[in-house]
Amino acid sequence: MLYEIKHSSIHGLGIFAAIDLKANTNIGLGMWKIHISEENNDHSMQRNDLCTYMNHSINPNVYYKKDRFDNYYFYTKCDVGRGEELFIDYNTFDFEGKKIFPIKRLKKSCK
């Protein structure tokens, strides 16, 4: 297991490295597009624990790559030590030109 969910001193629960992670380590699929009718459900993205519990930083230690199917894969931006919290910049997420997450300003991560 590359990460674990624990209490965060930043906000609620967070994602923490379960082992030392090198820069550019794929830590998993965070969100994926589901193909359903908008008449049945207006949410077109499904999130897993990795995305649901990852806190925001304007200096994140995680980034994402979006594939051609609009799936979001998360990678470490720098070396991350065991026990360090993983952060993503919510400002970078967009889907079809729309921001996915609200923004909250917090600290931390890669320089």
Side-chain angles (χ1 to χ4, degrees):
M1 166 108 34
L2 298 177
Y3 65 87
E4 56 191 354
I5 300 168
K6 300 190 315 187
H7 175 75
S8 170
S9 63
I10 300 297
H11 178 76
L13 297 173
I15 300 292
F16 293 80
I19 60 172
D20 291 336
L21 301 170
K22 295 288 185 193
N24 299 307
T25 298
N26 181 340
I27 54 175
L29 176 64
M31 291 191 309
W32 60 95
K33 183 165 184 179
I34 52 178
H35 300 282
I36 54 177
S37 159
E38 285 197 24
E39 292 85 38
N40 296 328
N41 188 333
D42 60 347
H43 298 294
S44 59
M45 297 298 292
Q46 180 67 46
R47 296 182 289 172
N48 68 7
D49 290 346
L50 182 59
C51 186
T52 301
Y53 296 110
M54 192 170 296
N55 284 314
H56 168 73
S57 172
I58 57 173
N59 297 304
N61 54 7
V62 171
Y63 67 96
Y64 74 88
K65 290 182 185 178
K66 187 165 68 167
D67 71 12
R68 65 188 179 130
F69 302 108
D70 292 322
N71 298 312
Y72 290 77
Y73 290 88
F74 290 73
Y75 296 83
T76 52
K77 188 175 180 180
C78 55
D79 290 349
V80 177
R82 180 176 182 250
E84 286 185 53
E85 187 166 2
L86 301 173
F87 295 95
I88 191 113
D89 184 349
Y90 290 175
N91 292 304
T92 62
F93 282 98
D94 71 87
F95 178 69
E96 296 177 347
K98 300 175 193 167
K99 292 291 181 196
I100 295 175
F101 297 110
I103 307 306
K104 54 182 175 178
R105 296 269 177 207
L106 297 172
K107 57 180 180 168
K108 189 78 177 130
S109 295
C110 298
K111 296 176 182 176

